[in-house]
Amino acid sequence: MNEDLLQKAEEFLNLCYLELEKDSVTLLARVEEVKSSIRKTGTYEHTYEELSHGAKMAWRNSNKCIGRLFWESLIVKDYRHLHEADEIIHALFEHIKFATNNGHIRPTISIFKQETKEHSVRIWNHQLVRYAGYDSQHGLIGDPHSIPFTKVCEELGWEGKHTNYDLLPLVVQVNNEKPNWCTIPPSLVLEVNLSHPEYEWFEELGLKWYGVPMIADMLLEIGGIHYTAAPFNGWYMGTEIGARNLADEDRYNVLPIVADYMKLDMSRNNSLWKDRALLEVNRAVLYSYKKAGVSIVDHHTAAAQFKLFEEKEKEKRRKLTGNWTWLIPPVSPALTHIFHQQYDNSTQLPNYFYQVAPYEKK
C-alpha cells in the first residue's frame, strides 16, 4: 500500500470533514473506503464535496496570495469526466466565459482528471488568456514573458499577427499524445483599453490588458492526489497590471513612454520620474477597469482585506502562513500593514504548486 498517499489522504479527510462538520461515523467510514481503494488500485478519487472544499482550502493556504479573504466563495467546476483534448478545450472556453461574467468576475476553478500512471492532462499555457511575444529583427513585440511559449505555438502551426496584443491559443495535452491547440474566440476575451482620468493623451498609447487572470499551469494537490490541470482565477489587483505587466523592464516597459508624454526629467534618478510615471499608469489601470465595469481591487483595499483574513484565521485558530515578499504590493508597500509584519512561509496542504512546463522537458 502507498503509505505516503494514505497518510496524506487521512490528514486531509480528518481536516476536511471537521471543517464541513461531518460526524465521526461518516469520517471513519470514508477513511476505510479510501484505504480499500488505495489497497486495491494504488489511488482513490475524491467526492465532489471533498474536491470542492479541498480546492478552497488550497486557496486559503496559498502563501503568495493577498486575496485569500474570499477563499470560501471559490466556484468549483468538476470536469474529471472529460478525457479528450477537444472536450477539455471546450471546457476551458466555458471557464473563460463563466469566470468573466461580463466583467463581474467570479472566482472559479476548473478541475480535470487526476494524474495516474495511465492518465495525465496538462495545459501548456501559463494563463488561459495571455498575449504573445516576438523577438523580431525590429525589436521586441508583445509580451517578452511569452516569447518561449509563442515559439512553441508557432511550431505547432499557430500564426500570430505580430501585434503587441495577439491572444495566444490554448494548448492541451492528454497523456503523451501530440498536444492540441485551438484559437480562443475573441468574443470570449474581455479586454480593457486603458485611459486616464486626467491625461487625455493616455489613450494615444494604445495600451490595454485582459480582464481576468486565469492561472493554468499549476498543480493542485488535495489529500495526496495531484490535479495537473486545474486552472483558477480571482480578479486583478491593479498593481499586477500597472506595476508589473506593463511597467517591468522585461515586460511591456511603458514607463519611459509615459514619462516622455508627461515631460518628466529622465536624465537623473532623483527626479523620481519612474515613480511618478508608475503612479499614473496604475491610476489609469484602476480608472479604466472601473469605467469598463470589470472587477479589480487597488492594493490598499486588498491589504485591508488581507488584514481581515488574518483576523478571521486567528478566530478559527488556524495557522496563518504567508510569503512576505509576494504579499507586499509593488507600489507603496510601506503604506500597508503587511510591510510591517512577519509571516510563516511554511507550506500547508492542500495547496497549489509550480510544475515544469511540458515543452521545457524536451
Side-chain angles (χ1 to χ4, degrees):
M1 185 184 295
N2 187 331
E3 295 296 334
D4 180 60
L5 176 58
L6 179 59
Q7 180 180 345
K8 287 184 175 180
E10 283 197 74
E11 289 174 354
F12 164 67
L13 291 172
N14 283 329
L15 184 55
C16 177
Y17 278 47
L18 175 65
E19 293 186 5
L20 293 175
E21 299 181 344
K22 302 281 188 180
D23 61 77
S24 58
V25 174
T26 302
L27 170 62
L28 289 174
R30 178 57 177 151
V31 169
E32 286 304 313
E33 187 177 38
V34 168
K35 279 184 180 179
S36 176
S37 179
I38 294 175
R39 190 180 299 115
K40 293 176 181 177
T41 67
T43 188
Y44 72 102
E45 294 185 1
H46 292 120
T47 66
Y48 175 76
E49 194 172 27
E50 293 163 0
L51 183 77
S52 178
H53 194 66
K56 294 175 183 179
M57 292 167 72
W59 185 7
R60 189 179 75 204
N61 291 334
S62 296
N63 290 359
K64 294 180 177 180
C65 181
I66 196 175
R68 286 180 271 167
L69 174 64
F70 306 100
W71 67 273
E72 290 177 290
S73 70
L74 183 66
I75 299 167
V76 181
K77 301 281 191 178
D78 185 357
Y79 289 116
R80 290 177 293 172
H81 59 286
L82 300 182
H83 295 271
E84 303 298 328
D86 57 346
E87 295 177 320
I88 294 170
I89 288 174
H90 180 73
L92 296 178
F93 290 164
E94 288 297 315
H95 181 120
I96 295 171
K97 182 178 181 180
F98 179 85
T100 302
N101 192 31
N102 296 315
H104 303 289
I105 297 171
R106 294 183 275 211
T108 306
I109 184 169
S110 293
I111 304 178
F112 297 91
K113 194 171 179 64
Q114 68 196 60
E115 182 181 49
T116 65
K117 292 180 180 178
E118 297 79 25
H119 190 84
S120 65
V121 181
R122 288 298 302 273
I123 301 166
W124 285 26
N125 306 66
H126 168 53
Q127 295 184 22
L128 295 185
V129 175
R130 195 73 161 178
Y131 296 124
Y134 310 94
D135 190 1
S136 74
Q137 60 183 2
H138 304 294
L140 295 174
I141 300 173
D143 191 344
H145 183 271
S146 296
I147 289 175
F149 182 58
T150 301
K151 290 179 179 177
V152 169
C153 293
E154 291 174 329
E155 291 171 359
L156 292 173
W158 175 78
E159 293 182 10
K161 296 180 180 179
H162 287 246
T163 75
N164 279 326
Y165 302 102
D166 288 355
L167 292 172
L168 285 162
L170 291 178
V171 181
V172 171
Q173 183 178 29
V174 176
N175 302 327
N176 292 316
E177 299 169 5
K178 181 180 178 181
N180 282 33
W181 68 270
C182 187
T183 301
I184 303 173
S187 60
L188 289 181
V189 181
L190 178 58
E191 296 178 281
V192 178
N193 295 310
L194 300 189
S195 58
H196 192 278
E198 295 177 34
Y199 300 138
E200 292 183 3
W201 51 258
F202 203 95
E203 288 188 55
E204 297 175 16
L205 303 181
L207 303 178
K208 67 177 178 178
W209 204 253
Y210 49 89
V212 191
M214 293 169 277
I215 304 298
D217 58 356
M218 295 188 78
L219 177 150
L220 168 62
E221 180 179 336
I222 302 175
I225 299 298
H226 290 175
Y227 298 97
T228 53
F232 60 90
N233 71 274
W235 47 76
Y236 268 119
M237 183 167 74
T239 54
E240 295 178 82
I241 304 168
R244 300 303 311 276
N245 298 336
L246 294 177
D248 282 355
E249 290 184 359
D250 59 353
R251 298 294 297 285
Y252 278 77
N253 192 27
V254 304
L255 296 188
I257 301 172
V258 172
D260 186 51
Y261 270 80
M262 292 176 67
K263 296 180 171 53
L264 301 179
D265 179 6
M266 291 185 279
S267 66
R268 53 195 177 90
N269 286 329
N270 65 7
S271 71
L272 300 185
W273 67 268
K274 290 183 180 179
D275 307 71
R276 293 176 65 186
L278 183 68
L279 177 61
E280 299 308 331
V281 172
N282 279 274
R283 286 184 68 197
V285 168
L286 293 171
Y287 171 77
S288 302
Y289 273 64
K290 292 292 184 182
K291 182 180 177 182
V294 180
S295 303
I296 198 166
V297 64
D298 67 89
H299 51 291
H300 297 292
T301 301
Q305 291 170 345
F306 189 74
K307 187 173 184 179
L308 183 55
F309 170 73
E310 294 178 54
E311 293 168 356
K312 288 194 170 190
E313 291 304 288
K314 186 176 181 180
E315 288 176 8
K316 294 289 186 178
R317 297 184 178 180
R318 286 194 287 255
K319 180 181 178 181
L320 176 74
T321 58
N323 186 324
W324 183 88
T325 60
W326 275 72
L327 292 175
I328 56 169
V331 175
S332 305
L335 297 182
T336 69
H337 81 283
I338 298 171
F339 183 83
H340 308 281
Q341 303 295 318
Q342 292 182 334
Y343 296 94
D344 178 356
N345 194 28
S346 59
T347 301
Q348 299 189 96
L349 297 175
N351 218 314
Y352 301 94
F353 297 93
Y354 295 113
Q355 47 187 349
V356 178
Y359 57 87
E360 292 180 352
K361 293 181 179 179
K362 297 181 180 179

